[in-house]
Amino acid sequence: MEFHFLFQGDDSTEATAKPKRSFYAARDLYKYRHQYPQNFKDIRYQNDLSNLRFYKNKIPFKPDGVYIEEVLNKWKGDYEKLEHNHTYIQWLFPLREQGLNFYAKELTTYEIEEFKKTKEAIRRFLLAYKMMLEFFGIKLTDKIGNVARAVNWQERFQHLNESQHNYLRITRILKSLGELGYESFKSPLVKFILHEALVENTIPNIKQSALEYFVYTIRDRRERRKLLRFAQKHYTPSENFIWGPPRKEQLEGSKAQKMSSPLASSHNSQTSMHKKAKDSKNSSSAVHLNSKTAEEKKVAPKEPVEQTDRTSPEPSNEAAKPRNTEDSNPESVNSQPEKAVTNPTEKKESASPENNEEGENHNQDSESPGNTNCREVVLVQ
């Protein structure tokens, strides 16, 4: 399920509002790229294969009751029908997730493999892709997925710039391409859209969805980074570019700060422990001297003090025992901070941004849904 966030308000607000990363977009696209690892029931429709049977022209799509051949032959070029009908897109571009048309069933891994082996299904799938590209004002130029402006691009780009619900459709199309064996077709289309939005300024309203959703449908990390670098180069204003990867100097500064923080705190802790141990030692010595004096008064015979000190070794032995005990305690305590110095540093280093799975600036991604803009509107497909 896809959530696209759009800003509302007057023109001045839109011009000054800094875009935010969407937690929902990040989660949705992460699950897609990693093969829907959570809560995915692959057995649910394994014996149905309704998506494949639709593409084999054996069943119509519901609820309209129209077969794929009729869609490809009679709906092509009928932009009003393609614009206002909202039930066909889930059948033309199936996914392993439920859309708004609950008659359309999710793909399964078994159905995907069967689909890829069925030539007539693949042929019709590519015709459906071409039909939708033309609807957007784009044409497929070769067999490896490259695209260019179609003859009707000016009219269709103007429409695409204004009808933002079509951005949801593009996200679905890109996802479906990856599911059904055409992952390599995604990058050329996303690069083309970014170029038109950021360089040519023909569809400027699409840039947020392109960077929030379209780029992150691409499973190859290197391809995503290429597209993000291209976007960063042409994005205006440049300081509002919030998509990764983060700059190297920022990473190094952050890492150095994280490493110095636990070292400083552990040093303070160590100093405190030494001071505490020293105070404890002095306190125990004072207690021992007081007990020694009391013991002397209690048991010493009426003889000169010098003789008592000289002939009786007992108090000095008693003094040695508690002093040794007190000396051993600070040493054992001080060994603990030494251990604590190492562990936090190691933990901080292992959690550095360089170990991020994406390598991109996910700090902007919002750790919780509460960081999303309260003035944003959620569109769901």
Side-chain angles (χ1 to χ4, degrees):
M1 188 171 289
E2 299 137 14
F3 299 82
H4 284 214
F5 289 77
L6 307 174
F7 289 107
Q8 283 187 327
D10 55 29
D11 294 340
S12 61
T13 304
E14 291 184 4
T16 57
K18 190 172 183 177
K20 289 186 176 182
R21 297 292 299 276
S22 166
F23 166 79
Y24 298 103
R27 182 180 63 181
D28 176 58
L29 277 303
Y30 180 88
K31 286 171 66 177
Y32 166 76
R33 293 196 308 272
H34 293 269
Q35 306 292 326
Y36 301 96
Q38 298 174 346
N39 302 322
F40 177 61
K41 299 176 182 178
D42 198 36
I43 305 300
R44 189 174 178 186
Y45 301 116
Q46 185 160 324
N47 297 323
D48 192 353
L49 303 179
S50 57
N51 295 291
L52 179 57
R53 289 191 293 139
F54 168 68
Y55 261 102
K56 291 172 76 172
N57 208 44
K58 291 186 176 181
I59 61 170
F61 79 82
K62 297 178 181 179
D64 297 60
V66 180
Y67 286 83
I68 182 66
E69 278 298 310
E70 184 178 347
V71 173
L72 295 175
N73 294 322
K74 295 184 179 180
W75 290 29
K76 183 181 178 181
D78 190 344
Y79 300 144
E80 287 296 315
K81 186 181 287 292
L82 293 175
E83 173 66 24
H84 297 295
N85 186 300
H86 298 286
T87 56
Y88 71 92
I89 198 74
Q90 291 88 1
W91 287 87
L92 287 188
F93 300 97
L95 299 175
R96 285 187 282 170
E97 58 187 277
Q98 184 66 57
L100 283 180
N101 183 353
F102 290 97
Y103 291 101
K105 296 180 180 179
E106 302 103 314
L107 282 170
T108 66
T109 52
Y110 175 74
E111 188 175 23
I112 289 170
E113 293 307 313
E114 291 299 310
F115 198 105
K116 290 177 181 178
K117 293 187 288 187
T118 308
K119 290 184 178 180
E120 61 176 319
I122 289 295
R123 178 182 64 81
R124 290 187 178 117
F125 179 72
L126 288 176
L127 288 174
Y129 179 54
K130 289 178 182 178
M131 179 183 75
M132 293 308 297
L133 286 180
E134 184 185 301
F135 171 69
F136 300 135
I138 306 169
K139 66 178 180 180
L140 188 66
T141 60
D142 55 34
K143 294 181 179 181
I144 61 173
N146 289 315
V147 295
R149 290 175 175 176
V151 176
N152 62 345
W153 71 270
Q154 287 179 309
E155 172 201 343
R156 301 313 304 163
F157 279 14
Q158 183 178 350
H159 176 78
L160 183 60
N161 196 53
E162 296 168 356
S163 60
Q164 299 182 1
H165 73 94
N166 280 303
Y167 306 164
L168 295 157
R169 291 175 168 181
I170 293 173
T171 301
R172 172 173 276 273
I173 290 168
L174 287 164
K175 284 182 173 182
S176 191
L177 285 170
E179 297 286 47
L180 297 176
Y182 288 90
E183 180 72 25
S184 62
F185 277 38
K186 294 183 194 176
S187 289
L189 178 58
V190 177
K191 177 72 175 291
F192 174 83
I193 291 172
L194 287 172
H195 180 82
E196 293 292 341
L198 299 175
V199 180
E200 302 295 337
N201 203 37
T202 53
I203 41 176
N205 289 340
I206 207 172
K207 68 180 180 181
Q208 182 78 11
S209 288
L211 287 165
E212 200 77 61
Y213 287 85
F214 304 170
V215 169
Y216 288 97
T217 65
I218 296 168
R219 292 188 171 113
D220 190 315
R221 178 180 171 183
R222 291 170 297 180
E223 288 297 316
R224 290 199 305 274
R225 280 176 167 260
K226 286 179 185 177
L227 293 168
L228 289 169
R229 289 190 186 100
F230 174 84
Q232 187 174 29
K233 181 179 178 181
H234 298 286
Y235 195 94
T236 54
S238 59
E239 62 271 15
N240 280 8
F241 188 84
I242 58 173
W243 294 268
R247 293 178 180 175
K248 186 177 179 182
E249 58 267 22
Q250 290 177 342
L251 286 178
E252 291 175 349
S254 175
K255 185 176 178 181
Q257 187 176 3
K258 287 179 180 179
M259 289 179 67
S260 62
S261 178
L263 286 173
S265 62
S266 62
H267 175 72
N268 293 335
S269 175
Q270 206 169 8
T271 305
S272 175
M273 293 301 293
H274 278 298
K275 186 176 180 181
K276 196 176 289 183
K278 187 176 179 183
D279 292 345
S280 177
K281 185 175 179 181
N282 292 337
S283 175
S284 64
S285 298
V287 171
H288 167 66
L289 289 174
N290 290 336
S291 62
K292 177 181 173 184
T293 305
E295 188 70 21
E296 286 173 349
K297 287 180 180 178
K298 193 173 181 180
V299 301
K302 292 181 180 181
E303 294 178 3
V305 175
E306 292 82 353
Q307 186 179 354
T308 305
D309 289 341
R310 188 170 52 248
T311 59
S312 177
E314 203 59 30
S316 62
N317 290 339
E318 290 296 327
K321 289 178 184 177
R323 185 176 294 113
N324 290 339
T325 305
E326 291 296 331
D327 285 346
S328 65
N329 285 340
E331 288 175 4
S332 63
V333 172
N334 286 341
S335 64
Q336 296 300 321
E338 288 295 333
K339 210 169 188 179
V341 172
T342 308
N343 291 341
T345 308
E346 290 174 354
K347 286 182 182 177
K348 291 292 183 181
E349 287 181 348
S350 66
S352 67
E354 294 174 353
N355 295 328
N356 193 324
E357 184 270 331
E358 288 301 326
E360 292 145 4
N361 192 2
H362 284 292
N363 292 333
Q364 300 282 356
D365 242 335
S366 304
E367 290 299 327
S368 67
N371 287 347
T372 55
N373 197 329
C374 62
R375 298 173 55 254
E376 293 168 337
V377 177
V378 182
L379 301 178
V380 185
Q381 177 167 316

